Amino acid sequence: KVPCTSEGIKAVTEFTKLGIKTNVTLVFSPAQVLLAAKAGATLISPFVGRLDDINEDGMKMVADALAIIENYNFESQLLV
């Protein structure tokens, strides 16, 4: 598990080079999904409940995230 921070994304990039599978957590936006997928994250875990708590549509973010992963043919998977 690696948090979706600037240092976390750097770590995921290095882990990917070493063949280490990762789960990027604390993801709140499609932009973070894109960064995590580009870094090679195995799993990306959007924080749907927290988004809903602040009156954001968590499942819309998940739909947007899935579209990003599919449109760019990333190997990352969403863990919701």
Side-chain angles (χ1 to χ4, degrees):
K1 284 180 123 176
V2 182
C4 192
T5 62
S6 59
E7 291 301 314
I9 295 299
K10 289 176 190 174
V12 170
T13 301
E14 292 304 313
F15 291 149
T16 299
K17 290 177 187 174
L18 297 171
I20 298 170
K21 294 181 179 185
T22 55
N23 178 357
V24 176
T25 62
L26 300 176
V27 177
F28 297 96
S29 72
Q32 288 178 305
V33 171
L34 181 60
L35 289 171
K38 285 180 78 171
T42 308
L43 299 171
I44 301 171
S45 298
F47 219 148
V48 177
R50 290 284 172 97
L51 288 169
D52 290 339
D53 289 345
I54 61 169
N55 295 320
E56 295 287 330
D57 187 348
M59 290 310 293
K60 179 172 181 338
M61 199 284 280
V62 169
D64 293 344
L66 188 57
I68 289 168
I69 290 170
E70 290 176 348
N71 287 341
Y72 291 100
N73 294 315
F74 289 121
E75 293 184 17
S76 302
Q77 296 181 337
L78 290 180
L79 179 63
V80 181

